Amino acid sequence: MTQAPAATRATRRQHDREIVMLAVPAFGALVAEPLFVMADSAIVGHLGTAQLAGLGVASALLTTAVSVFVFLAYATTASVARRVGAGDLQAAIRQGMDGIWLALLIGATVIAVVLPSAPALVGLFGASDTAAPYATTYLRISSLGIPAMLIVLAATGVLRGLQNTKTPLYVAVSGFVANGVLNVGLVYGADLGIAGSAWGTVIAQWGMAAVYLVVVVRGARRHGASLSPDAAGIRASAQAGAPLLVRTLSLRAILLIATAVAARLGDADIAAHQIILSLWSLLAFALDAIAIAGQAIIGRYLGADDPAGARAACRRMVQWGIAVGVVLGLLVILSRPLFLPLFTSNPTVKDTALPALLMVALSQPICGVVFVLDGVLMGAGDGPYLAGAMVVTLAVFAPVALLVPTLGAGLTALWGAMTLMMAVRMLTLLLRARSGRWVVTGATR
């Protein structure tokens, strides 16, 4: 009578250890990403509201330019982890090298598009005449770091798939510190203004990419994996990531619509939205740490032909997601009065942001479930379903968000629409998780 509960407790402890071992370092690495933007926001915000509004538009565009290709990390993590589970480390690292070469090709293409079209892209967001020049300057300079950011994504996917989240943590922390020092020195010391912030970030990003390349190349040589580009392998990586690209494009469309709506509400609203979005991204990445653990663990279990282990790990990670979401929501509520002065001294921006932050806090348990299940299904290679589910979510969110300025509502209503979006995502992901159709074992899906 007591053996089954004891076995269940032992299994939970095993999963807890695995989750903590992978998620805690991943949390530090993931938090560093939005901290780049938050550091820029804190430094640029004290230059003036127009500069912060310009940064808000430019950073949204840059994040989109990079995040649409986040499949370089997600798909690589899943495929590498499956091969690790099957015991083929050479094939695992070779798969990762294909992703890195694909990242370089995509990065060069994105720069060629963004540099000449920066003013037009800023104009699409409806930025004010005072904010637009700052947005254009920041966008053009920062675009030079896009290839580095994509290399970081692909190389991070390799290491996560190898069940190594500590190295990405060390690199991310070093990059964040370098970014902060460079930004302060160039913005204020060299008196370069918003351009100095952009240059500091670009330098830090290329430094991070260089470190990752050294680590991955050493691993490839140790296991006898080829470093040369392989057309078939690069093409296979692109094909595996295509559904996740659709999924991410839909998600980025949601975030872009939200930023465009906020920009049309006024400079104070877009400035407040930039601050809130920075916090929301920080919270999202914190929750995504459990999802990263899910990608690596689920991929390994499925690669090792252990569907029961994959299902049990999924259940435990959902419990973690809910608990962490509740804690984060409470922290946001308690820290609201202390958080905003870090980014702005403008009372109008503060008053606009305060009620919207409460909406963000209330949505965190929902976000916990969403991010965890998103990671589980990515680890299972269930990209086509994730793509379709996100398209449905976009179709629900877009008309609701676009009604906000038409109805004369404000930023809080916009973030209410964001909460609705997360609720729709949770429903679609729960339906898939309970169906069990994502459980496909083997070294490849």
Side-chain angles (χ1 to χ4, degrees):
M1 294 292 292
T2 60
Q3 288 183 349
T8 299
R9 287 194 297 271
T11 300
R12 287 180 177 177
R13 285 196 295 270
Q14 176 188 347
H15 289 144
D16 288 345
R17 285 193 296 270
E18 287 185 322
I19 292 168
V20 170
M21 182 183 69
L22 292 172
V24 171
F27 170 78
L30 289 167
V31 164
E33 292 190 46
L35 284 178
F36 268 68
V37 178
M38 292 180 74
D40 289 357
S41 298
I43 294 168
V44 172
H46 292 286
L47 294 175
T49 300
Q51 287 91 332
L52 183 58
L55 174 64
V57 172
S59 63
L61 285 163
L62 283 165
T63 303
T64 299
V66 175
S67 295
V68 294
F69 302 113
V70 75
F71 70 83
L72 291 166
Y74 293 159
T76 302
T77 298
S79 59
V80 170
R82 277 182 177 269
R83 287 163 175 79
V84 169
D88 192 348
L89 290 177
Q90 184 183 68
I93 295 178
R94 175 65 258 183
Q95 182 77 27
M97 288 303 305
D98 292 335
I100 291 173
W101 282 111
L102 179 61
L104 282 169
L105 292 174
I106 294 173
T109 303
V110 173
I111 286 181
V113 172
V114 172
L115 279 178
S117 61
L121 291 171
V122 169
L124 288 175
F125 275 76
S128 68
D129 292 339
T130 56
Y134 296 111
T136 301
T137 297
Y138 192 92
L139 179 60
R140 278 182 165 157
I141 296 172
S142 293
S143 68
L144 301 177
I146 288 175
M149 289 186 278
L150 298 185
I151 291 171
V152 167
L153 285 176
T156 300
V158 178
L159 296 180
R160 289 173 182 168
L162 293 170
Q163 317 293 296
N164 175 5
T165 56
K166 291 183 179 179
T167 299
L169 170 62
Y170 301 146
V171 176
V173 170
S174 300
F176 170 69
V177 172
N179 178 68
V181 172
L182 288 166
N183 269 256
V184 171
L186 294 174
V187 171
Y188 296 111
D191 199 25
L192 294 179
I194 196 170
S197 177
W199 279 117
T201 301
V202 167
I203 294 169
Q205 288 162 346
W206 275 107
M208 292 170 65
V211 173
Y212 270 115
L213 287 174
V214 170
V215 172
V216 174
V217 167
R218 284 178 178 174
R221 288 175 175 169
R222 184 165 57 250
H223 293 287
S226 174
L227 297 173
S228 60
D230 176 67
I234 294 172
R235 186 166 54 252
S237 294
Q239 291 171 346
L244 292 180
L245 176 60
V246 173
R247 170 254 181 207
T248 305
L249 282 172
S250 299
L251 177 58
R252 295 312 309 176
I254 288 169
L255 298 179
L256 286 172
I257 289 170
T259 300
V261 170
R264 283 162 173 77
L265 295 175
D267 278 1
D269 291 89
I270 184 59
H273 179 75
Q274 169 62 18
I275 294 171
I276 295 170
L277 191 59
S278 297
L279 175 63
W280 190 80
S281 298
L282 174 62
L283 298 173
F285 279 121
L287 290 167
D288 209 25
I290 307 171
I292 295 302
Q295 292 176 30
I297 293 170
I298 295 298
R300 192 189 74 234
Y301 273 123
L302 295 178
D305 293 320
D306 187 358
R311 291 189 181 94
C314 174
R315 287 192 297 270
R316 191 57 176 163
M317 281 181 281
V318 169
Q319 293 169 357
W320 273 74
I322 294 171
V324 173
V326 170
V327 171
L328 291 177
L330 291 173
L331 288 175
V332 172
I333 292 173
L334 294 174
S335 64
R336 283 186 305 158
L338 302 175
F339 174 77
L340 290 173
L342 295 175
F343 296 91
T344 182
S345 56
N346 188 314
T348 303
V349 175
K350 290 181 182 178
D351 291 342
T352 302
L354 271 173
L357 278 174
L358 181 59
M359 189 68 68
V360 170
L362 295 175
S363 69
Q364 288 311 295
I366 296 174
C367 294
V369 176
V370 168
F371 282 100
V372 167
L373 288 180
D374 211 36
V376 166
L377 296 184
M378 285 181 189
D382 202 16
Y385 181 84
L386 290 172
M390 192 60 75
V391 170
V392 171
T393 302
L394 172 60
V396 173
F397 170 79
V400 175
L402 293 174
L403 279 175
V404 170
T406 302
L407 298 175
L411 192 65
T412 303
L414 175 60
W415 277 92
M418 291 286 286
T419 301
L420 171 65
M421 177 269 295
M422 294 303 293
V424 174
R425 288 186 69 188
M426 182 177 68
L427 176 62
T428 60
L429 294 173
L430 283 172
L431 289 173
R432 186 62 168 183
R434 290 177 178 176
S435 74
R437 295 177 183 175
W438 54 277
V439 182
V440 179
T441 59
T444 58
R445 183 179 171 91

